[in-house]
Amino acid sequence: MKDINEDIKWAQINKDVLRSMENPRRGYWIALIACVAMIACAVAAEIYQYQYGMGTANLNWPHMWDLYIATFIFWIGMSHSGTLLSAILHIIHADWRKPIYRFAEAMTTFSLMTAGLFPMIHLGRVWNLYWVLPYVTDRGIWPNFRSPLVWDAFAISTYLTSSAIFLFIGMIPDLAICRDNARGWRKKLYTALSLGWRGDDRQWRNFRRTYLVMACFLIPLAVSVHSIVSSDFAMSIMPGWHITTFPPYFVAGALYSGCAAIITLFVLLRYFFRFEEYMTISVLEKTCKLTFAIAMVWTYLNLIEFASVWYGHDVPSKEVLMDKFVGPYAPYFWVMIFCGSVMPFAFAFRKLRRHIPSMFVLSIILNLGMWLERWMIVTPTLSLGYHPIAFDTMWPSMIQWAIVFGSFGWFGMLFLVFVKVFPSVSMYEVKEMVYHRRGLAGKDPDAVLHSRTGSDDRPSSSSSGGGGSPGGGTPAPGLEGA
Amino acid sequence: MSLQNVLTNWSQYRKTHEDGGFYDYEHMWGMSVDLNKCTGCNACSVACYAENNLAVVGKEKFDKGQGMHWMRVERYWDEPDLAAGESTEFSEHGGSFLPMMCQQCNAATCEPVCPVAATYHTPDGLNAQVYNRCIGSRYCSNNCPYRLRYFNFYSYYESSWPEPLNMQLNPDLSVRDKGVMEKCTFCVQRIRVAKDTASRENQALVDGDITPACVQTCPTKALVFGDLINTESKLSKLWASHEVELGKTEQHKKNKEKRGYRVFEELNTDPCVMYLERVKEV
């Protein structure tokens, strides 16, 4: 089975992708409205909580953190897949990523924007949020550089900036194609964003270099971000949090939930925008295999964590572990183990891997498991600390659930607006992929370029810089992809 | 604001923080709690509510775990010694009481995790909480093994002190708004007053000048407050007589009969509160 139909014409690629920005299926609009409604729920809940205090969320002593922090970790985790697909797979030349990396990168940026909201929602006095930043004042007051929460602020803002820049840089050649084909406000937008891209040799060279440098920069950043988020827990003294394997465990969990989310969005985009030609079953299958591998790594790290606590003979840690197994939160814990470690074995069956509805459902189940995992990291430790008088079981209130629910709407809305306004399949990279797959790399590039029109007998004297032809009369799309 | 100013600030910050906020302590306020003497009457807790403007949250919220008892008397019940089939209803439960206030740890776990340094160590050896600086991330409470930090989950002005009860608020310290963490301060307002009075009168601070509200109220004198740096203080002598020392994760006692211990000292929090074990009649 081929990853992509090699005989697809380059003009056809442009046409298909540009069409996606105009007339999606009705499902798109339904999804968008649903997302906005979800945001409305969350905003109402947040206004109520802001007005009356954090107690409305059912937070109490000792449950000072709950779903907000758990969901924060979940969204940070989600953001890792984009970097995995676009940076790591770019560097190892896995070219099947090309039709799907653009939306994965967008997912990175938007899930970080969602994650960033949670520390604010959870703060008691959110209006003083900027105090965690090391701004310079005459009063000489600095944040506490020993606190993992300050590291968080640095790590997340760095990662958000870099991933947004990376997303933008990767889009420049495609934005030029859009510019050449758009009218009205879109024309103005794309003209500004494409930064005068003409697709000439020098631009391509600089572009390639910048993209590679950004990719190399992002990989360590992605790993460090989730390690730092894990140190919110690992740096503390509490049993169940103070665990050395947390950084790799968090990173594996992050890649896992991110990959599962890619499958979900893959199916949705394929349906909404009729991308059957590009987001092929074969690419889906490869993503599924990748997810399966990461799921197994995550399972392994989970077992390591249990084993090291079990043999560590630290009594409170052991109690917290046992409480996870049999305590009040045990049902959620076992659902998490089932969703996260047992369900991925469905990927082992070729038939299921190639069956889109099953993969859609499965990916959502996996992410449910990963969300539960984060909750099971935060809450059982708080319910069982060191001091027996403070042992307590707490269930989150509707305020918390509404805000968590609404965060999915917020992410969904950002994502859906993005895929409508910007090309969600990378045109130039798909062209590259098709080009390489044709096995024509050794042939005369001019001949290959002109074969797109179906007439191979055109004179080969024309230059290859026609994509953004200054006259604008003949917006020959697709030449940027050379 | 000049660059020079900023650099000076920064270098000052670096100088005072390179050892994790360690000072040459002027005082090291500490306490001792004799569990043999404690009757569990809760007078200390009530005194604390009155002295420190603690919000009275009401039954419902207290039950939810949103209470603000800086000084809490914990009750632990022994397993009743029952014959088979005997009802537990009227059986004798040996109750023991553990009054817990902020342990003012010298290696406090709450301090390094605060993102804005709202909680820090003062040269008095106190673990201070700056309400104005607190942004309410609540990490400190999560990281306190004793769970002795309380969060203002709501605004309590109207509900806690309806007119004219607001007239009885202690003017020496603030009422905290929602979104702020708070905890026992060893009645820092009284410490300040005593120190200021002493310096105004050009006299040194004498042992016994300062009495926190709980210590003042305790009817059985189970609580003792004092300066651990001053070796002549009553408290220091008490610590020495029970062979309990600061800065250790385990006390190696020559006389095993001595009852002194510190709660969770094996976690290396180095608390400044010593408890004297309860001796039960057999």
Side-chain angles (χ1 to χ4, degrees), chain A residues 49-259:
Chain A
Q49 176 183 286
Y50 185 88
Q51 182 68 22
Y52 292 102
M54 295 306 293
T56 53
N58 243 4
L59 294 174
N60 68 358
W61 165 93
H63 284 276
M64 296 283 173
W65 289 357
D66 201 43
L67 293 190
Y68 296 148
I69 296 296
T71 315
F72 159 72
I73 311 169
F74 175 78
W75 284 115
I76 293 277
M78 195 84 114
S79 71
H80 281 56
S81 56
T83 311
L84 172 75
L85 271 178
S86 50
I88 299 179
L89 295 187
H90 174 66
I91 283 178
I92 62 172
H93 293 292
D95 75 344
W96 57 268
R97 85 191 172 96
K98 285 179 176 169
I100 58 168
Y101 88 94
R102 172 72 45 75
F103 80 79
E105 251 172 50
M107 201 176 98
T108 296
T109 307
F110 297 134
S111 55
L112 276 172
M113 285 167 70
T114 316
L117 292 178
F118 276 94
M120 304 184 201
I121 291 168
H122 121 112
L123 276 193
R125 302 206 297 169
V126 59
W127 48 94
N128 290 331
L129 176 79
Y130 63 97
W131 286 353
V132 299
L133 300 174
Y135 64 97
V136 172
T137 68
D138 252 357
R139 288 186 288 169
I141 299 176
W142 298 86
N144 180 7
F145 293 106
R146 291 185 294 165
S147 168
L149 295 185
V150 171
W151 310 343
D152 265 1
F154 295 154
I156 293 167
S157 49
T158 313
Y159 190 38
L160 177 59
T161 327
S162 322
S163 65
I165 291 173
F166 190 52
L167 172 67
F168 170 63
I169 289 177
M171 261 195 322
I172 292 175
D174 278 358
L175 288 170
I177 301 179
C178 297
R179 173 196 63 197
D180 295 340
N181 289 281
R183 262 184 239 108
W185 64 270
R186 279 185 183 247
K187 178 106 184 165
K188 281 181 196 155
L189 176 72
Y190 300 135
T191 308
L193 288 180
S194 55
L195 305 180
W197 180 267
R198 282 174 292 120
D200 62 28
D201 191 47
R202 198 182 108 262
Q203 286 183 333
W204 273 113
R205 250 184 262 213
N206 288 340
F207 171 77
R208 289 284 179 217
R209 201 170 302 138
T210 319
Y211 194 76
L212 188 65
V213 167
M214 280 303 287
C216 296
F217 177 66
L218 262 179
I219 295 168
L221 202 59
V223 173
S224 74
V225 165
H226 222 50
S227 305
I228 284 172
V229 169
S230 80
S231 61
D232 284 355
F233 302 96
M235 289 283 168
S236 81
I237 195 178
M238 301 315 289
W241 283 4
H242 186 73
I243 292 175
T244 324
T245 55
F246 259 20
Y249 177 58
F250 270 51
V251 173
L255 294 175
Y256 183 13
S257 67
C259 280

Side-chain angles (χ1 to χ4, degrees), chain B residues 110-167:
Chain B
C110 51
E111 284 170 19
V113 298
C114 176
V116 293
T119 177
Y120 75 108
H121 235 62
T122 68
D124 270 12
L126 288 177
N127 173 240
Q129 173 73 24
V130 187
Y131 307 129
N132 289 340
R133 180 68 175 165
C134 178
I135 59 171
S137 77
R138 309 193 287 288
Y139 199 167
C140 51
S141 178
N142 280 345
N143 209 26
C144 174
Y146 311 93
R147 299 279 190 236
L148 284 160
R149 291 176 149 265
Y150 304 95
F151 187 67
N152 284 276
F153 286 106
Y154 298 93
S155 267
Y156 293 110
Y157 318 118
E158 283 95 15
S159 61
S160 266
W161 305 284
E163 299 268 351
L165 284 182
N166 56 349
M167 303 299 285

Side-chain angles (χ1 to χ4, degrees), chain A residues 265-284:
Chain A
L265 295 178
F266 179 101
V267 176
L268 284 178
L269 283 188
R270 185 184 147 101
Y271 172 74
F272 287 158
F273 297 135
R274 307 176 182 90
F275 275 147
E276 288 83 357
E277 286 277 352
Y278 305 98
M279 302 189 177
T280 56
I281 302 283
S282 171
V283 171
L284 175 68

Side-chain angles (χ1 to χ4, degrees), chain A residues 18-36:
Chain A
L18 292 173
R19 194 195 54 201
S20 80
M21 297 155 69
E22 281 163 16
N23 59 339
R25 283 184 213 257
R26 191 180 292 154
Y28 173 87
W29 297 108
I30 296 173
L32 191 62
I33 290 168
C35 286
V36 173

